[in-house]
Amino acid sequence: MNIVKQEYTNEIILNKLIESCLNFNPDLFLPYLQSEKVITDMPNKTRFFRFFKQMLLSAKDNSVEPMTFQIEKPSWEEDENTFHYNLYDSLHKHSRLCIRVKESADEIYLDTMPF
């Protein structure tokens, strides 16, 4: 029996990342995180997922809904292919969650920002 591994486009992977953040449901993103295209700043994807889940659930506990999601390019970010995927609530000025995303044709690099 051959198991066919599903390959996703960058657009689908990033849309699922956004959807999981807006719904505070990290499990929505897990199958897409497993894609060979996705690399992370953590030693492995399991550790990335645990940290992402913790950060997302913490954001939920410390936020006032409704939430918005913005893809931003900070002025201090030197790499032109790196963007910050920021989750904002309706009260605070600063994002509740920030994920640094560097996209190329072959891969998506994800880096969780600690604050």
Side-chain angles (χ1 to χ4, degrees):
M1 175 183 197
N2 289 338
I3 298 175
V4 178
K5 190 169 185 174
Q6 178 73 37
E7 239 346 283
Y8 303 104
T9 65
N10 288 8
E11 181 180 9
I12 289 172
I13 293 168
L14 294 173
N15 283 340
K16 284 298 177 179
L17 174 63
I18 293 168
E19 181 183 347
S20 71
C21 290
L22 286 172
N23 289 297
F24 296 111
N25 185 348
D27 294 331
L28 286 174
F29 184 60
L30 186 56
Y32 304 91
L33 175 62
Q34 298 305 323
S35 169
E36 291 180 8
K37 283 186 163 195
V38 178
I39 58 173
T40 73
D41 64 320
M42 295 285 185
N44 59 54
K45 291 181 182 181
T46 301
R47 288 182 72 183
F48 175 87
F49 181 75
R50 285 183 190 150
F51 188 70
F52 171 67
K53 183 176 183 177
Q54 178 186 356
M55 294 294 288
L56 189 57
L57 297 177
S58 176
K60 180 179 182 180
D61 290 341
N62 295 299
S63 298
V64 177
E65 293 188 56
M67 306 301 289
T68 57
F69 202 90
Q70 294 183 15
I71 300 172
E72 300 172 321
K73 178 77 169 166
S75 59
W76 51 265
E77 187 68 67
E78 294 178 8
D79 189 329
E80 66 182 44
N81 295 321
T82 301
F83 294 88
H84 290 215
Y85 282 47
N86 293 317
L87 181 66
Y88 291 93
D89 71 356
S90 58
L91 178 65
H92 299 92
K93 177 181 179 180
H94 299 288
S95 65
R96 303 288 89 202
L97 177 68
C98 178
I99 301 170
R100 216 168 143 249
V101 176
K102 181 176 181 178
E103 184 180 2
S104 70
D106 299 334
E107 65 186 22
I108 299 171
Y109 171 79
L110 302 175
D111 180 11
T112 49
M113 304 296 281
F115 302 103

